[in-house]
Amino acid sequence: LRRSRSPPSPSAPPPPPPPPSPRLLYPKRELLSRRLEQALLKFPNLTRLHLDSHTIDFIDDRFLRALGSACPNLKYLFLGKVRLPVRQPLVDAVSEAGLASVFRGCRRLEEVCVHCAPNIKSLPASLLDLSALRLLQLEAPSLKVLPVVSPGRLRSLRDLRLLSCNALPCLPDSLGDLAGLTHLRIEKSDNLEQLPDSLCDLQLLDVLVISSCYWLTSLPDDLGQLPCLRVLELDGCGGLLELPGSLPQLHCLERLVISRCGNLTLLPEDIGQLPLLRELEISKCNRLVGLPPSLPDLAELEFLEVSDCSRLESLPDDLGRLSVLKTLRLASLPNLTSLPETLDQLTCLRELQLEDIDHLLGLPEPVTSLGQLEKLVLGLSCSPCLPETLGALTRLRELQLRQCSGLTSLPVAMRGMTRLERLVVEGCEELVTLRLPERSRDRESWESAEAAGAGSGSGGEGRAAEQREHRQWREQQGRQQEVGVIAAAGVAPPVGTVTDGLSRLSLVNGSLHSASPLHLSPLPTALPPPLFSPLPPLPVSAPSSSWVVSPCAPSPPH
């Protein structure tokens, strides 16, 4: 029988089965939807409803219609994103008809956030009847048209956020009729090319954020006519060629951010006429050549950051006239040749960051004159040792050394940094030895030494002067904590932190690695020579894959 059985004849493969309907994909969807409808009937006074990605897959238009009829007092509605398993068709959880049912039934809505409407192309007209609406946030990639707002409609709307509206070519001219609007945020609208001129009619607009609108080529010319604008952020507007000339007329502007505007070459010349500007951030503008000369006229500027501008060649010479500047960050400026000589006139500067400035070799001399600095971040090509004048920064609390190629040791003058709390060393591949100030020795030992010195009969005045120096030194060292000893042989682990010493000491590797072991030892503090002698480094050997932390035993006074 086995031999007489003929092989099966070849035939065409069967056609693929039709894709299952959403109801078959989710067998419990019908049951869950009914249960949610029944639950809504039990809460007629419900005011807040938040549906996240774990439940939104099972919400359909029938549920939204039930929501509009069962919860007339609803004030807050959040519909999150649809997150379905892989290889399953997308279920449009929210449609235009469903939203219309909610807007018609819930007339008291104050906040509406919709993130699960990928196929909605227009918004229902019933949205305009929500007289109490204060916040409207939409994420609709297929949205093409916004409803035309007539005067008096949506009079309570304060915050409008349009996110990922990629198909939206423009905003309606009736945008200016939203008289109460204070916050406007537009993000990831790829097809948006320009903003309507009626935007300048929003007399109460306080915050304007435009992000990732790559085809936006211009801003309204009368942008300076917004009398209440405090925050202006332009991020990811690669097609923007210039800023409007009326920008310096924003007399209430406090924060200006210009980031990832790759075609922007110049800033307005009269930018120094912004009387209340406190924060200015310019980053990733690769065609920006220079900053306007009027920049030092910003009398209230407290924060200035200029980073990732590859063609920037110079800074204003009189930058020191920024009398209230507290934070200055300069990073990734390969064509910047020098810093202004008036940098030492920034008497209020508390934080300074200098990183990835190729033409800047070593620590600039004006920096060491900033005695009020509390945080210093350096990432420069340095000589084998930083200048001894670094010790003049006696108020420094945090010092970060990042990618300082050529640096092999720290200056001895760092023992004058009695307030140093945090030291971060990262990417300094040639740095082998760190020497840090030691904790004050036992107070009784100093007192006995002073008593012995005072008991000797000769040189009374000299002894009294030495006692005063000892006392001042003891009070100064009393503010420091015990510093441990860290040793690593070969390649150290990624991060090591000492919390027994400074409040934080971080050594990050591939930052610190060398053929010889790394030693971290106490630094001899400046003491009067008759009584004290410097302490030698304390070498500690350790396996190549471990870190050793041990307290420094104080040596008795001579």
Side-chain angles (χ1 to χ4, degrees), residues 158-361:
R158 298 291 182 268
D159 195 342
L160 177 59
R161 305 174 187 177
L162 303 176
L163 313 178
S164 300
C165 298
N166 298 326
L168 190 65
C170 62
L171 299 181
D173 293 334
S174 61
L175 181 66
D177 293 330
L178 299 174
L181 196 65
T182 59
H183 289 66
L184 177 59
R185 179 181 295 269
I186 305 173
E187 294 184 7
K188 298 181 181 180
S189 297
D190 296 340
N191 288 331
L192 189 64
E193 297 182 359
Q194 60 182 3
L195 299 178
D197 294 336
S198 61
L199 174 68
C200 305
D201 298 333
L202 301 175
Q203 298 298 308
L204 299 180
L205 191 63
D206 185 69
V207 177
L208 176 59
V209 178
I210 304 175
S211 177
S212 300
C213 299
Y214 300 106
W215 292 103
L216 186 67
T217 57
S218 63
L219 298 176
D221 294 335
D222 296 333
L223 190 66
Q225 304 300 322
L226 297 173
C228 298
L229 192 64
R230 293 187 308 106
V231 177
L232 176 60
E233 297 185 9
L234 304 174
D235 182 14
C237 302
L240 196 62
L241 302 178
E242 60 180 1
L243 298 179
S246 61
L247 184 67
Q249 301 177 15
L250 297 172
H251 298 301
C252 293
L253 194 64
E254 298 180 2
R255 173 179 169 82
L256 177 59
V257 177
I258 303 173
S259 177
R260 297 189 301 160
C261 297
N263 288 322
L264 191 65
T265 57
L266 295 174
L267 297 180
E269 293 293 333
D270 299 333
I271 197 174
Q273 297 181 5
L274 297 171
L276 300 180
L277 191 65
R278 299 179 182 274
E279 299 181 20
L280 177 58
E281 179 180 343
I282 304 172
S283 62
K284 299 181 181 179
C285 298
N286 296 326
R287 295 192 178 184
L288 190 65
V289 178
L291 300 180
S294 63
L295 181 66
D297 296 335
L298 298 172
E300 299 295 328
L301 193 64
E302 299 179 356
F303 178 91
L304 176 59
E305 177 178 348
V306 183
S307 61
D308 295 285
C309 298
S310 58
R311 297 189 181 182
L312 188 69
E313 299 176 353
S314 62
L315 299 175
D317 295 333
D318 51 350
L319 196 66
R321 291 198 292 114
L322 297 174
S323 57
V324 298
L325 190 66
K326 296 181 180 179
T327 302
L328 176 60
R329 297 177 181 175
L330 304 176
S332 300
L333 304 175
N335 284 332
L336 186 65
T337 56
S338 63
L339 296 181
E341 297 180 356
T342 59
L343 197 65
D344 55 353
Q345 300 177 13
L346 300 175
T347 56
C348 293
L349 196 63
R350 297 293 182 267
E351 178 183 343
L352 177 61
Q353 177 181 353
L354 301 174
E355 284 191 271
D356 297 333
I357 305 178
D358 297 342
H359 294 283
L360 197 60
L361 302 178

Side-chain angles (χ1 to χ4, degrees), residues 487-502:
V491 179
V495 178
T497 302
V498 178
T499 56
D500 269 351
L502 307 169

Side-chain angles (χ1 to χ4, degrees), residues 17-30 88-91:
S21 64
R23 293 182 181 273
L24 295 179
L25 285 175
Y26 302 98
K28 297 183 180 180
R29 179 176 179 179
E30 185 81 12
Q88 291 190 2
L90 183 64
V91 177

